[in-house]
């Protein structure tokens, strides 16, 4: 397996942490003698958080992963660039444009300006992402889930009035405290997986589902027409990592998203929401935390092979160990 190919469905900060651990573990298992790995990692990344803002195309999940893997992210905040300043954002606010509650740092704006220029020059989002990654050298091939724009909007009730807002407004401005009535994937009907995504799934030796938000990250990827069919037809085993530990979301407000679609905030409920591939769903295997070990036989009965392992990504070593557990689970089928 010296040329092992691993494809990961990912979104946001949780996906970035998992991918860093996977990159470290594969370098250990399959070293190339030069500090890297003979293994290949491809990340299929959620683009449902994307938007046009102040005339620029902003891709939060792609950028969070690119910065984290490239060593340029703010590890204290967990998102954005390190050593960031916000002078341009202050000027934009003074002009009355943009979202004052969604601050884009000056260094981050450089990325959005470059991406928007590439897109206006006729590059696809896949091609523009590759150009951006030439600078950051993430050691992982980053692929947007689709070149067609998809934006997640949220139907909410504010002061007795129904509003449809962009997901980032619900997530950042309202901190997901306003109950979501439903999520709307604007443009998803016209979207399709890119040829690069389909090849990454077809040729993978292992497909992993990162511990990202199961509704608005992984769920959005799976909502692209043709994506589920490609995954069901993959020759590789598909193993997911629970984003829920002991009935609570590991990061963010995934519990609010799950509640909106009527899924319990438990590791078992999320696995059953994805479903067993043998029964028309997504998963062959599922990793839960040791604190949730009692659900393993329940999931086995639903057609999903499950293992209980430590899931907390507290540092580089625990992230790599979890990635190793996911790889081992995939090989054990």
């Amino acid at each position: 397996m010296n040329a092992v190919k691993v494809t990961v469905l990912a979104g946001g900060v949780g996906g970035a942490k998992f991918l860093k651990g996977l990159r470290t573990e594969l370098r250990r298992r399959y070293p190339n003698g030069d500090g890297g790995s003979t293994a290949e990692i491809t990340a299929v990344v959620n683009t449902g958080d994307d938007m046009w803002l102040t005339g620029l195309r902003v891709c939060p999940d792609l950028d969070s992963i690119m910065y984290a893997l490239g060593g340029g992210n703010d590890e204290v905040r967990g998102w954005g660039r390190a050593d960031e300043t916000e002078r341009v954002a202050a000027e934009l606010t003074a002009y009355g444009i943009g979202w004052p509650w969604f601050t884009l740092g000056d260094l981050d704006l450089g990325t959005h300006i470059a991406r928007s220029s590439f897109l206006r020059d006729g590059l696809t989002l896949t091609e523009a992402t590759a150009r951006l990654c030439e600078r950051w050298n993430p050691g992982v091939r980053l692929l947007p889930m689709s070149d067609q724009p998809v934006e997640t909007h949220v139907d909410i009730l504010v002061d007795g009035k129904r509003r449809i807002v962009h997901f980032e407004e619900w997530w950042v401005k309202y901190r997901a405290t306003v109950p979501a009535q439903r999520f709307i994937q604007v443009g998803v009907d016209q979207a399709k997986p890119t040829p690069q995504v389909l090849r990454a799934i077809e040729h993978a030796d292992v497909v992993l589902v990162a511990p990202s938000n199961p509704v608005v990250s992984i769920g959005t990827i799976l909502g692209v027409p043709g994506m589920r069919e490609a995954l069901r037809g993959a020759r590789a085993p598909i193993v997911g990592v629970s984003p829920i530990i002991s009935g609570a979301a590991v990061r963010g407000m995934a519990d609010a998203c799950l509640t909106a679609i009527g899924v319990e905030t438990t590791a078992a409920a999320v696995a059953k929401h994805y479903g067993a591939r043998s029964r028309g769903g997504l998963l062959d295997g599922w990793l839960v935390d040791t604190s949730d070990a009692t659900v393993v036989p329940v999931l086995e009965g639903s057609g999903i092979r499950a293992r209980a392992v430590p899931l907390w990504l507290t540092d580089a070593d625990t992230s790599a160990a979890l990635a190793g557990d996911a790889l081992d689970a995939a090989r054990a089928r």
Side-chain angles (χ1 to χ4, degrees):
M1 296 182 68
N2 286 335
V4 65
K5 295 179 174 62
V6 183
T7 296
V8 183
L9 309 187
V13 178
K17 281 193 170 186
F18 182 75
L19 284 163
K20 285 183 73 174
L22 179 63
R23 184 181 62 182
T24 298
E25 182 64 10
L26 287 173
R27 285 173 177 174
R28 183 186 70 80
R29 294 191 181 199
Y30 308 105
N32 64 3
D34 194 30
S37 173
T38 59
E40 300 174 11
I41 308 173
T42 300
V44 178
V45 182
N46 166 51
T47 58
D49 294 11
D50 295 7
M51 72 207 82
W52 285 102
L53 185 64
T54 62
L56 302 175
R57 192 61 178 172
V58 180
C59 301
D61 281 6
L62 280 167
D63 290 344
S64 290
I65 293 173
M66 181 176 70
Y67 293 154
L69 294 175
N73 66 312
D74 186 330
E75 294 186 357
V76 176
R77 293 188 301 178
W79 54 272
R81 293 282 300 276
D83 303 318
E84 187 62 278
T85 53
E86 298 177 352
R87 295 185 65 188
V88 175
E91 282 297 292
L92 293 173
T93 299
Y95 285 120
I97 64 172
W99 295 337
W101 41 265
F102 191 81
T103 304
L104 299 176
D106 298 338
L107 296 174
D108 194 29
L109 278 164
T111 298
H112 307 320
I113 292 169
R115 176 188 295 113
S116 302
S117 177
F118 293 147
L119 294 174
R120 291 192 175 103
D121 285 344
L123 272 65
T124 65
L125 182 57
T126 298
E127 293 167 336
T129 300
R131 289 284 299 274
L132 294 173
C133 286
E134 288 176 6
R135 175 189 178 188
W136 290 100
N137 191 26
V140 171
R141 188 185 187 200
L142 301 185
L143 296 178
M145 65 186 192
S146 177
D147 282 331
Q148 289 75 42
V150 178
E151 292 190 7
T152 301
H153 292 190
V154 189
D155 185 353
I156 61 175
L157 187 66
V158 180
D159 298 328
K161 296 181 180 179
R162 296 287 287 271
R163 292 185 59 207
I164 305 294
V165 300
H166 192 280
F167 169 75
E168 292 292 352
E169 182 170 353
W170 179 70
W171 195 252
V172 177
K173 181 179 180 179
Y174 292 106
R175 304 298 298 171
T177 55
V178 178
Q181 309 299 309
R182 60 187 173 120
F183 297 101
I184 307 164
Q185 307 295 343
V186 178
V188 73
D189 291 343
Q190 289 75 47
K192 57 185 179 182
T194 66
Q196 294 89 338
V197 165
L198 293 175
R199 283 196 296 270
I201 293 171
E202 179 185 359
H203 297 298
D205 297 299
V206 179
V207 176
L208 302 177
V209 181
S212 301
N213 191 304
V215 181
V216 294
S217 291
I218 305 302
T220 304
I221 296 172
L222 297 176
V224 176
M227 190 72 76
R228 285 183 180 272
E229 291 77 7
L231 289 162
R232 290 194 191 110
R235 63 183 177 86
I238 301 177
V239 174
V241 179
S242 174
I244 306 298
I245 297 177
S246 300
V250 175
R251 292 193 61 86
M253 293 79 74
D255 52 343
C257 298
L258 290 166
T259 297
I261 65 169
V263 175
E264 288 184 281
T265 306
T266 67
V270 173
K272 291 180 179 180
H273 170 66
Y274 286 143
R277 185 152 64 138
S278 61
R279 302 179 185 181
L282 172 68
L283 299 173
D284 296 309
W286 185 243
L287 298 185
V288 302
D289 188 66
T290 51
S291 62
D292 293 312
T294 56
V295 308
V296 168
V298 175
L299 292 175
E300 296 279 355
S302 67
I304 301 172
R305 289 180 291 102
R307 289 186 177 185
V309 300
L311 292 192
W312 287 108
L313 304 179
T314 54
D315 53 35
D317 289 338
T318 55
S319 298
L322 174 58
D325 288 332
L327 292 171
D328 291 342
R331 295 180 67 178
R333 70 169 182 171

